[in-house]
Amino acid sequence: MNTKVKSIIADPSLAAEGHLKIDWADAHMPVLNRIKAQFEKEKPFQGLKVAISLHLEAKTAYLAKVVQAGGAEVAITGSNPLSTQDDVCAALVEDGITVFAKYNPDPKEYKELMIKTLETEPDLLIDDGGDLVSILHSERRDLLKKVRGGAEETTTGILRLKAMDKEGQLQFPMVAVNDAFCKYLFDNRYGTGQSVWDGINRTTNLVVAGKTVVVVGYGWCGKGVAKRAQGLGANVVVTEVDAIKAVEAYMDGFQVMPMRDAARIGDFFVTVTGNRDVIRGEHYEVMKDGAILSNAGHFDIEVNKPELDALSVSKRTVRRNIEEYKLKDGRKFYLLAEGRLVNLAAGDGHPAEIMDMTFALQAMSLKHVNEQYKQIGNRVVNVPYELDEQVARFKLESLGIAIDQLSQEQIQYLDSWAEH
């Protein structure tokens, strides 16, 4: 650790509880454990600095320790004000990692903590939502030259990065971890599906069975949220702007309709689009009294809060992470976790076994970009298929599952174009 840089955290005395959380994650992340052992031998990041911006809880903390085990000097910050866990931050500081993060800082301090992380002058990045990359390219271009590359966690971040790439603005390579099979098939679908309902259920303490759940967006995250809602006994409605995804939702057994119609019948709303204002004033006008609004996209802009404020005569906190908005006509709506990621701001995020694969991809992608950054160039690239498949094989091995292999004759048959 660079002793010249002092961490900024809320309470160092919370470290003991944070260590317990990290130990629990460690015990349920066998793929990452295997990579950690490999990193301890090979030291792929020896002499390098790595900056990380992710939801700062126990599973992320363990990823930071794995990167540290590879020889890196690690600095980490949160990627959402309400998902940072102060006890985990304290534990990481004791473990020699520089931390710039607190639970629920004001917007100004939140950004300052990100900038502090970048001021450690990293060689490599792990980003969430493209925030570190954005700051580097817009406000702290003085720190760009040293960065070799990095890896991006989310759909939202990759959209931003690809826009930069298209405009020729990206100044170093970024690996699109979110687009890897072992990320979106499992993390986005099963991880988001379970953790969103964990967050909603623990926060509201209300029954889901028999209610109408409106899932806004049917990407991989939306698929998971809809399927888990169905499993809880809900009547599920999907809204979409993509015709192909809408047909898929219909074929999966869900009702599909425009948001204006869905707004009239929904009891629970979950937004998972990565876009802004997907629930807005025209929808509030027709919603039922008691509607519960939540978001599982990266930014708190999917549920339009300014328009909800404008329509309300009063607002109060009725339970932790639940704000009640009372409208002029007496209807009440309930917004969970300030419209931020409900699974992390009001829960513990994805299960450790799911993040085991995602964070294994992050660690291996960081190693890959460090080794290949000159050849890759300043662009967004996918995780190499062999790394993706290796994570899946490690996962199967940890579960004690064996699979078949093609014979040489079968390989030759599949590779042949001649008449069979």
Side-chain angles (χ1 to χ4, degrees):
M1 176 182 172
N2 186 349
T3 54
K4 295 180 181 179
V5 179
K6 186 177 180 181
S7 295
I8 300 175
I9 61 174
D11 188 351
S13 71
L14 300 175
E17 186 175 345
H19 284 302
L20 290 174
K21 289 182 177 180
I22 298 170
D23 289 347
W24 177 261
D26 175 349
H28 294 88
M29 303 181 87
V31 179
L32 210 50
N33 284 335
R34 184 165 177 167
I35 292 170
K36 182 183 179 186
Q38 179 182 331
F39 280 6
E40 286 172 338
K41 292 178 182 178
E42 298 176 358
K43 298 294 182 183
F45 309 123
Q46 190 66 50
L48 300 178
K49 296 179 180 180
V50 176
I52 300 174
S53 173
L54 290 169
H55 297 284
L56 218 175
E57 41 77 52
K59 301 175 288 290
T60 300
Y62 190 55
L63 170 62
K65 292 182 67 174
V66 170
V67 174
Q68 181 190 45
E73 183 178 307
V74 179
I76 191 167
T77 189
S79 63
N80 185 295
L82 298 184
S83 63
T84 295
Q85 297 183 9
D86 288 327
D87 51 358
V88 170
C89 294
L92 280 179
V93 172
E94 284 196 348
D95 287 339
I97 289 173
T98 305
V99 182
F100 300 106
K102 298 177 181 178
Y103 174 76
N104 201 22
D106 64 48
K108 181 180 178 182
E109 184 180 18
Y110 173 67
K111 187 171 183 180
E112 287 173 349
L113 293 170
M114 280 198 170
I115 292 172
K116 284 280 188 184
T117 305
L118 291 171
E119 286 176 344
T120 62
E121 300 185 2
D123 301 280
L124 298 164
L125 306 172
I126 294 178
D127 208 357
D128 187 311
D131 289 336
L132 292 182
V133 174
S134 177
I135 292 171
L136 278 171
H137 284 76
S138 60
E139 300 177 40
R140 294 306 305 267
R141 295 185 67 86
D142 57 304
L143 301 172
L144 271 174
K145 189 174 180 180
K146 193 183 177 195
V147 180
R148 297 181 177 185
E152 168 58 44
E153 175 81 0
T154 67
T155 303
T156 299
I158 290 171
L159 289 172
R160 298 176 80 186
L161 291 173
K162 286 184 175 178
M164 295 174 70
D165 187 350
K166 185 177 180 180
E167 294 176 10
Q169 297 299 314
L170 191 61
Q171 297 298 303
F172 47 76
M174 289 293 292
V175 181
V177 170
N178 181 77
D179 290 352
F181 290 110
C182 282
K183 168 59 162 73
Y184 69 77
L185 288 176
F186 309 113
D187 180 318
N188 293 21
R189 179 167 47 169
Y190 296 103
T192 304
Q194 180 170 323
S195 64
V196 160
W197 288 105
D198 287 346
I200 292 173
N201 290 337
R202 75 160 65 173
T203 302
T204 65
N205 194 33
L206 297 176
V207 70
V208 179
K211 303 280 181 65
T212 296
V213 170
V214 178
V215 179
V216 189
Y218 203 66
W220 287 103
C221 292
K223 290 179 178 69
V225 172
K227 191 67 175 177
R228 292 297 166 266
Q230 185 182 55
L232 289 167
N235 304 305
V236 180
V237 174
V238 170
T239 73
E240 250 301 341
V241 296
D242 185 304
I244 296 171
K245 291 178 181 176
V247 173
E248 186 179 11
Y250 170 77
M251 292 288 191
D252 285 344
F254 304 121
Q255 296 182 70
V256 179
M257 63 183 71
M259 186 63 209
R260 179 76 177 184
D261 296 332
R264 298 177 186 275
I265 61 175
D267 298 299
F268 289 92
F269 294 82
V270 185
T271 60
V272 271
T273 70
N275 208 338
R276 62 175 303 142
D277 306 329
V278 295
I279 296 180
R280 52 188 181 271
E282 65 183 282
H283 306 132
Y284 302 138
E285 291 174 1
V286 299
M287 277 183 183
K288 296 194 298 186
D289 180 35
I292 294 171
L293 310 173
S294 65
N295 168 50
H298 183 74
F299 294 112
D300 61 335
I301 58 174
E302 301 208 18
V303 178
N304 189 308
K305 293 189 287 186
E307 290 186 3
L308 184 55
D309 278 322
L311 290 169
S312 301
V313 294
S314 67
K315 182 173 74 170
R316 62 173 180 156
T317 301
V318 291
R319 283 171 64 96
R320 183 178 180 184
N321 285 318
I322 304 181
E323 291 175 300
E324 175 193 85
Y325 289 79
K326 185 176 181 180
L327 276 62
K328 297 173 184 177
D329 60 9
R331 285 178 299 149
K332 296 175 182 177
F333 302 152
Y334 299 96
L335 180 64
L336 306 188
E338 299 179 9
R340 300 186 184 277
L341 279 156
V342 69
N343 54 335
L344 280 147
D348 284 323
H350 295 1
E353 298 98 327
I354 292 292
M355 295 311 298
D356 189 24
M357 288 187 285
T358 296
F359 284 165
L361 283 169
Q362 284 283 13
M364 293 171 73
S365 294
L366 199 68
K367 180 175 181 287
H368 170 71
V369 80
N370 182 52
E371 293 170 346
Q372 301 292 327
Y373 67 96
K374 291 181 180 178
Q375 294 90 327
I376 295 171
N378 300 340
R379 58 195 180 97
V380 181
V381 296
N382 291 328
V383 175
Y385 181 77
E386 57 269 24
L387 296 187
D388 210 352
E389 187 185 37
Q390 187 64 71
V391 168
R393 289 189 179 278
F394 285 169
K395 182 64 175 178
L396 289 172
E397 289 174 16
S398 75
L399 296 169
I401 297 173
I403 60 174
D404 292 318
Q405 293 186 353
L406 296 173
S407 68
Q408 193 60 41
E409 291 79 7
Q410 288 172 322
I411 293 172
Q412 291 173 352
Y413 176 84
L414 293 174
D415 287 343
S416 173
W417 61 267
E419 184 177 350
H420 293 156

